[in-house]
Amino acid sequence: MFERLSHWVTSKWIWVIAAWLVVLAVVRFCSPAWDSIAQDGDLAYLPADKPSILGEALLEEAFPNKRARSQIGLVVARRHGRLTEEDLEIADRLAQPFHNYAGACCLQRAETLWDEYANLMESADTVEAERRKSEFVEELNTALASFDEAIQLDDQYADAYYNRALCKSRLKTVSEEADRLAAEAARDHADAISLDPSLADWGNRVTPSDATAIPLLGVWTRHTEVVGDLLTSHDRQAQLIVLQLSNEFLATENIEVVQRVEAEVAQVQKSIGDSADSGELEIGMSGSAAVGGDILRAAKQSIKNTEVYTLLLVVVILAVVYRAPLLIAIPMFTIFVSMVIAMGVVAALTQLHTLPGMDWWNFKVFTTTKIFITVILYGAGTDFCLFLVARYREELESGRDHGQAVQHSLAAVGDALTASALTTVIGLSMMFFAQFGKFRNSGPAIGICLLVTLAACMTLAPALLQGVGRWVFWPWGNVGVAPRGKGRPRNSEKGLWHLGLWDSLSCWIITYPGRILAVSLMLLLPCAWFGAGWQPLRLTWHTDADGNHDQAWHFPPRFWYDSRDGRERVTYDLLAELPPNRPSRVGTAILKRHFPVGESGPLIILAKKDDGRFDDRENGYKEIEALTAKLYELPDVLAVRSIAEPLGDPPKTGTSIVGTRGLRKRFLQTHSLSKSIFLTNVPALQGDVARFEVILRHDPFSLEAVKALNQIDQVLSEMGDASEGFWQGTQFVYSGTTAAIRDLREVTQADDVRIKLLVFFAVLAVLLVLLRRPAVCFYMILSVLFSYYVTMGATELFFAYQYGDTFQGLDWKVPLFLFVILVAIGQDYNIYLATRVFEEQQLFGPIGGLRRAIVRTGGIITSCGVIMAGTFVSMTSGDLRAIVELGFALSLGVMLDTFVVRTLLMPCFLALIYREHPARLRVIKLDADSDTEAA
């Protein structure tokens, strides 16, 4: 097959190049831009039956206008002493523009609802129309309240009355009121300018066209009823402003949201910069949306850095290897064309769901997937081209002319290149069977791109070689090319062992295979032992009942997701991915000094019960109050907010209803804002859904918070499954960061086991089909598996030392991506060596063929490994800790495969089996003429 392909490519090389250029143009013109369709976020791609997803769905259904998927918390704090009145005014000024944003968002939603109301009235659906009208009025009232709050906070922005007038004008019955308000707004605006002429240049601070910039559902400040008291720290040193957003916290739109918020914060900071004690005042940004926006910005920067450094590293390494401009340009052009086409094809595949009958199609690509596509395509594509060019030079050295050399080189390496690519593609494709959506889509996407690159390296690259001719070695001439007619036959031993280092190494391997294999394994075994999940010796302390201390050494087994000692070897703390100088980490540090850490991500519990009558002040409120008190009893719960305790005060029995606390509590229970937050007002669910907000004592991303949620879940499940009682048959679901992290852990841990097993057996099956030597195939897969465990152990030890006390474990994505990529790609070098060994053994016997293959492939495989490791090293140039850790691990793993597995472990094993059982491989003797043709 490859002989026919090579003949066609070399004879039709102009048409091959033209075809690729045409495909490149078509793909660039027809396919959508990658960045326009790339998505991100982890929690949005969990299975639909997970509690956090069910909780999000119920939250959307029961609280459509009060459903905040994420938050940004702006904290104004003093380093020393309490906040002054001037500081509080600064906090108010900081909140003012966001009230305008919120009002504009509400106005925009109101306009949409009005259009829907008009359409429903035309279709005579009066029931649904009345519902839309009710929602429309509610949004208008919310918009008005937001604009009024903005004006009350700072009269500098009195032109917000224009927005109020526009809002009123949507109601036909109040057109006169709209005119009056517009005139009033104009007068207020003129008065404001007379007080401060600089306001004339400001124009409208926020208009409805800006509404999508920050998709606000609400803004909570110290002036907000019900929740305002919660936003002042107990030490009175910090004031919090909470921006409720409709975006999921890792939505790509949060990049612009965070930038807008930072711009508003910067403007306020600039205005207070001249204050005498401004250095004492801090303004920070925290919350899930702030963290998500920083993660996305860091990912974007990581992609840019990776692309630049990958390109530079590949060019530098090719320049060192070849020192010929055209031998650098051909691989780079081939990979560039294949990468553009591959990413265009994948991007086009995401749009198939728009075709008739393709509604079931749900293929997506993600922002971070581009990092893996870049490094793998440049690494693997360069390897493919290196092997092709290396074999091309060998064919020239044997005396063939240029055309024959290109044709025979492609035919000779076709099997090896296809086999190595297939192991990687099939290994990555096993990720399709994951439950987690990002895994399920990312693996096949990378595999498709690699197939395109393989096709380019086996058609476009040899066509370019054929077209350039012997000029490919310019300016050095035909380097290493024997004069025509003076080539040596391949079965000649003369001059075979001139390659110094590889010659000496092959002699050592052939002479002492058992010793070299044993020493290599012994040196790497400690890291492999630790990487496989076994914890090294550690000193632990015990205290008996009398208070006496004793110490003991322990050597317990601990696998990746076993947390018996209170922590995992992987972390799901997304905030820890960011560098310490990122705004969200700085703001979170400020927030943690003054507020409970759980405030940054409350756990939301939704209780749904048919005919629950939660809005019944006699029975429903009483049962909610009892459940609130029961949740308070759990040790990891700091506060519980519900319609019974809107402020999250600790329940106290026996408090007089006429006392200060009792009167305040009863007032808040009947407040419209409290009801809208804690009880649904959707007619179909009226009285059937109640909401609780639980503040935990732990970081929402931490393992401790997940454990606390498990305790809460156990308590509520027992109540819902009880045979009697008010809560019998109640469905409890959860929302918020901790609930999503718990589901993410559960799903990805199951995927980790499933995908690793599938990849292991899939790659093994490919090896068996391609090589048809079971013993060699089993050893190849086990050797790469061994290098994976060595890499995991070394990586964890390195970053534990690098990060010190802040190290919580490797990022949760590292073990799985490392396994899939390393086991799949790591077989490339084994396959390159093994196929050359089998080829040479046909002529020189088991041991002679092995030795010749080691010498012939040593330099080229090492170059390939260094290039592949270099592309992965480029991943460490970014800011995201997960990408840095994975880049380090992948580069280390590839170097182990290159310099240990392929160089020592694999040849030593082959030397042992062929020395002990030389009859395993049939030796074919050819005469010089046939050998020359076979070469």
Side-chain angles (χ1 to χ4, degrees):
M1 178 182 73
F2 293 108
E3 291 181 357
R4 291 195 297 270
L5 175 65
S6 63
H7 175 74
W8 181 79
V9 170
T10 54
S11 62
K12 309 290 186 182
W13 62 272
I14 295 179
W15 293 106
V16 172
I17 297 173
W20 277 100
L21 294 178
V22 169
V23 173
L24 175 65
V26 171
V27 169
R28 286 296 300 270
F29 179 76
C30 298
S31 62
W34 181 277
D35 293 338
S36 67
I37 49 91
Q39 304 182 37
D40 220 311
D42 293 330
L43 309 182
Y45 302 100
L46 294 169
D49 60 344
K50 291 302 173 183
S52 63
I53 302 299
L54 296 176
E56 287 289 322
L58 182 57
L59 198 61
E60 173 71 26
E61 181 183 7
F63 300 91
N65 298 323
K66 297 296 178 182
R67 178 182 179 245
R69 294 186 179 183
S70 61
Q71 297 175 327
I72 291 180
L74 301 176
V75 57
V76 178
R78 276 203 168 271
R79 292 188 177 92
H80 305 95
R82 293 188 175 188
L83 292 173
T84 65
E85 189 63 30
E86 183 181 354
D87 296 335
L88 295 176
E89 290 176 359
I90 290 174
D92 291 342
R93 183 176 179 184
L94 181 62
Q96 192 278 338
F98 299 110
H99 282 291
N100 272 334
Y101 277 109
C105 288
C106 292
L107 182 59
Q108 187 181 63
R109 289 192 293 268
E111 291 175 344
T112 302
L113 288 169
W114 181 266
D115 293 337
E116 293 177 359
Y117 165 74
N119 293 334
L120 290 170
M121 288 297 293
E122 291 179 0
S123 61
D125 189 351
T126 56
V127 175
E128 191 65 25
E130 286 299 321
R131 179 183 174 185
R132 291 290 190 277
K133 183 178 180 181
S134 175
E135 294 175 354
F136 164 71
V137 173
E138 182 179 356
E139 289 290 350
L140 282 177
N141 290 332
T142 305
L144 290 172
S146 297
F147 292 140
D148 284 340
E149 183 70 18
I151 294 169
Q152 291 172 9
L153 287 176
D154 193 346
D155 60 6
Q156 288 182 339
Y157 308 130
D159 56 347
Y161 271 106
Y162 288 127
N163 291 327
R164 179 174 182 173
L166 177 60
C167 176
K168 282 288 187 179
S169 66
R170 294 295 296 168
L171 291 174
K172 298 179 180 179
T173 58
V174 292
S175 58
E176 294 180 357
E177 176 69 7
D179 294 337
R180 186 185 66 79
L181 288 172
E184 181 181 326
R187 289 194 301 271
D188 290 339
H189 186 249
D191 292 341
I193 293 177
S194 65
L195 295 174
D196 186 356
S198 64
L199 293 177
D201 298 328
W202 279 68
N204 284 347
R205 184 62 175 162
V206 178
T207 64
S209 61
D210 300 316
T212 56
I214 304 181
L216 282 168
L217 295 175
V219 179
W220 292 352
T221 69
R222 64 191 180 103
H223 303 288
T224 305
E225 294 180 318
V226 180
V227 298
D229 292 345
L230 302 175
L231 304 181
T232 302
S233 64
H234 291 294
D235 58 12
R236 302 295 176 182
Q237 288 185 233
Q239 184 66 49
L240 190 62
I241 300 165
V242 179
L243 310 180
Q244 303 281 350
L245 302 175
S246 59
N247 285 347
E248 195 262 336
F249 85 101
L250 275 173
T252 53
E253 295 82 5
N254 280 349
I255 294 178
E256 183 180 355
V257 169
V258 171
Q259 290 174 343
R260 284 282 188 132
V261 174
E262 285 179 341
E264 298 292 349
V265 172
Q267 188 170 357
V268 173
Q269 287 177 323
K270 182 179 179 181
S271 67
I272 64 173
D274 298 332
S275 176
D277 60 348
S278 60
E280 284 289 320
L281 194 64
E282 300 175 299
I283 300 179
M285 180 175 61
S286 182
S288 56
V291 174
D294 270 347
I295 289 176
L296 293 172
R297 289 193 294 181
K300 187 175 181 180
Q301 185 63 42
S302 295
I303 292 172
K304 182 179 179 180
N305 292 346
T306 299
E307 290 176 339
V308 172
Y309 286 113
T310 297
L311 186 63
L312 291 177
L313 281 169
V314 171
V315 169
V316 169
I317 295 174
L318 287 176
V320 172
V321 172
Y322 290 129
R323 302 184 302 279
L326 290 177
L327 281 179
I328 299 173
I330 288 176
M332 296 304 297
F333 180 75
T334 300
I335 297 168
F336 171 76
V337 170
S338 66
M339 184 173 173
V340 173
I341 292 176
M343 294 184 67
V345 169
V346 171
L349 289 176
T350 64
Q351 305 302 305
L352 289 182
H353 67 279
T354 60
L355 299 177
M358 294 293 292
D359 296 341
W360 55 273
W361 185 261
N362 189 30
F363 182 67
K364 295 178 174 62
V365 295
F366 303 93
T367 303
T368 51
T369 306
K370 191 175 182 180
I371 294 179
F372 296 104
I373 291 176
T374 300
V375 296
I376 291 178
L377 262 58
Y378 270 99
T382 306
D383 287 357
F384 296 159
C385 292
L386 278 175
F387 266 87
L388 177 66
V389 173
R391 193 55 179 259
Y392 167 66
R393 297 184 70 166
E394 286 187 35
E395 298 298 334
L396 289 177
E397 291 174 1
S398 69
R400 300 186 189 279
D401 63 23
H402 170 72
Q404 288 181 327
V406 175
Q407 182 176 341
H408 281 264
S409 62
L410 178 56
V413 301
D415 286 329
L417 298 186
T418 304
S420 65
L422 283 179
T423 57
T424 305
V425 171
I426 292 179
L428 290 168
S429 298
M430 292 300 101
M431 297 179 73
F432 173 78
F433 297 99
Q435 288 182 289
F436 184 46
K438 291 189 74 172
F439 288 166
R440 188 171 60 250
N441 289 275
S442 296
I446 301 171
I448 292 171
C449 292
L450 187 58
L451 284 177
V452 175
T453 299
L454 173 66
C457 292
M458 295 185 66
T459 56
L460 180 58
L464 291 171
L465 275 176
Q466 180 71 21
V468 172
R470 291 177 180 263
W471 284 99
V472 73
F473 296 107
W474 179 85
W476 307 106
N478 298 331
V479 178
V481 179
R484 186 167 179 82
K486 297 183 180 181
R488 296 184 302 274
R490 292 188 64 208
N491 58 350
S492 170
E493 294 296 328
K494 182 179 179 181
L496 182 63
W497 313 114
H498 68 285
L499 297 180
L501 173 64
W502 298 107
D503 179 24
S504 301
L505 182 61
S506 66
C507 290
W508 278 86
I509 289 173
I510 298 301
T511 307
Y512 308 107
R515 299 178 190 179
I516 295 175
L517 184 62
V519 171
S520 301
L521 292 176
M522 290 295 293
L523 291 176
L524 297 176
L525 191 59
C527 282
W529 185 268
F530 186 69
W534 291 81
Q535 186 175 356
L537 282 171
R538 61 173 182 164
L539 184 64
T540 58
W541 291 84
H542 300 277
T543 305
D544 57 24
D546 298 328
N548 299 319
H549 299 284
D550 186 23
Q551 64 182 31
W553 288 97
H554 288 271
F555 198 20
R558 188 162 62 81
F559 294 92
W560 287 109
Y561 299 110
D562 179 17
S563 54
R564 284 172 290 183
D565 67 344
R567 72 176 186 91
E568 294 176 306
R569 296 186 73 178
V570 295
T571 178
Y572 288 80
D573 189 348
L574 300 182
L575 183 62
E577 282 199 45
L578 296 169
N581 60 346
R582 282 285 178 175
S584 59
R585 285 201 68 175
V586 175
T588 301
I590 298 173
L591 186 70
K592 286 181 178 180
R593 292 201 298 264
H594 304 286
F595 292 91
V597 65
E599 284 283 3
S600 61
L603 171 66
I604 298 175
I605 302 174
L606 298 175
K608 182 180 181 182
K609 180 182 180 182
D610 294 338
D611 298 325
R613 302 183 65 187
F614 292 127
D615 55 350
D616 184 354
R617 288 191 53 81
E618 295 298 328
N619 297 319
Y621 278 37
K622 181 179 179 181
E623 295 294 339
I624 290 174
E625 185 174 20
L627 179 56
T628 302
K630 190 166 187 176
L631 292 174
Y632 256 109
E633 296 173 359
L634 298 176
D636 293 315
V637 173
L638 183 64
V640 182
R641 298 171 191 150
S642 64
I643 191 62
E645 295 289 349
L647 293 179
D649 293 334
K652 296 179 181 179
T653 58
T655 302
S656 172
I657 62 172
V658 298
T660 303
R661 178 180 177 274
L663 291 175
R664 180 165 170 261
K665 175 179 174 180
R666 290 178 65 85
F667 167 74
L668 293 177
Q669 286 176 346
T670 59
H671 197 283
S672 59
L673 181 58
S674 299
K675 290 182 178 181
S676 68
I677 293 175
F678 299 111
L679 296 176
T680 180
N681 56 12
V682 175
L685 298 173
Q686 194 81 37
D688 294 344
V689 179
R691 179 183 182 190
F692 301 79
E693 285 188 2
V694 179
I695 309 302
L696 301 175
R697 299 181 184 275
H698 310 291
D699 190 311
F701 295 100
S702 67
L703 177 61
E704 290 77 11
V706 172
K707 290 180 178 179
L709 173 56
N710 289 336
Q711 293 178 348
I712 294 173
D713 191 23
Q714 182 178 358
V715 170
L716 297 181
S717 296
E718 291 174 356
M719 295 176 63
D721 296 338
S723 57
E724 58 182 11
F726 176 84
W727 299 100
Q728 176 190 3
T730 302
Q731 176 191 11
F732 292 99
V733 293
Y734 309 94
S735 182
T737 301
T738 301
I741 291 295
R742 183 183 70 161
D743 289 343
L744 182 65
R745 290 178 66 253
E746 179 183 339
V747 170
T748 54
Q749 288 170 15
D751 283 343
D752 185 88
V753 176
R754 181 187 303 111
I755 293 174
K756 285 180 178 178
L757 289 174
L758 288 173
V759 170
F760 179 88
F761 288 109
V763 173
L764 178 60
V766 173
L767 293 175
L768 290 171
V769 170
L770 294 174
L771 302 181
R772 298 183 296 278
R773 289 169 174 83
V776 175
C777 294
F778 274 101
Y779 182 80
M780 289 171 68
I781 192 74
L782 291 176
S783 66
V784 175
L785 185 64
F786 178 74
S787 72
Y788 163 75
Y789 287 125
V790 173
T791 303
M792 280 302 311
T795 301
E796 184 177 11
L797 291 173
F798 173 80
F799 283 105
Y801 172 79
Q802 181 76 13
Y803 296 142
D805 294 338
T806 64
F807 182 71
Q808 304 177 35
L810 296 176
D811 184 82
W812 59 275
K813 296 181 285 294
V814 171
L816 181 60
F817 274 106
L818 177 64
F819 185 91
V820 173
I821 296 175
L822 197 59
V823 170
I825 290 181
Q827 294 300 341
D828 290 1
Y829 310 125
N830 282 339
I831 290 174
Y832 293 152
L833 175 63
T835 53
R836 187 61 183 262
V837 168
F838 302 152
E839 178 186 348
E840 298 292 348
Q841 285 175 336
Q842 300 290 330
L843 303 176
F844 302 103
I847 299 301
L850 173 61
R851 187 179 178 192
R852 183 183 177 96
I854 294 172
V855 175
R856 281 295 189 184
T857 63
I860 189 62
I861 293 180
T862 301
S863 299
C864 291
V866 171
I867 288 177
M868 181 67 78
T871 61
F872 288 134
V873 166
S874 66
M875 296 172 64
T876 63
S877 62
D879 287 338
L880 285 180
R881 181 179 287 191
I883 301 299
V884 172
E885 291 173 355
L886 187 55
F888 175 88
L890 285 170
S891 57
L892 175 61
V894 170
M895 295 299 281
L896 282 173
D897 283 334
T898 302
F899 291 101
V900 179
V901 176
R902 185 271 311 175
T903 304
L904 300 175
L905 302 187
M906 184 68 183
C908 287
F909 174 77
L910 294 176
L912 285 173
I913 64 172
Y914 290 134
R915 188 173 65 179
E916 298 296 330
H917 304 282
R920 286 181 179 223
L921 190 66
R922 181 167 60 94
V923 178
I924 302 176
K925 295 183 178 180
L926 302 176
D927 56 29
D929 294 338
S930 62
D931 173 39
T932 302
E933 287 299 317

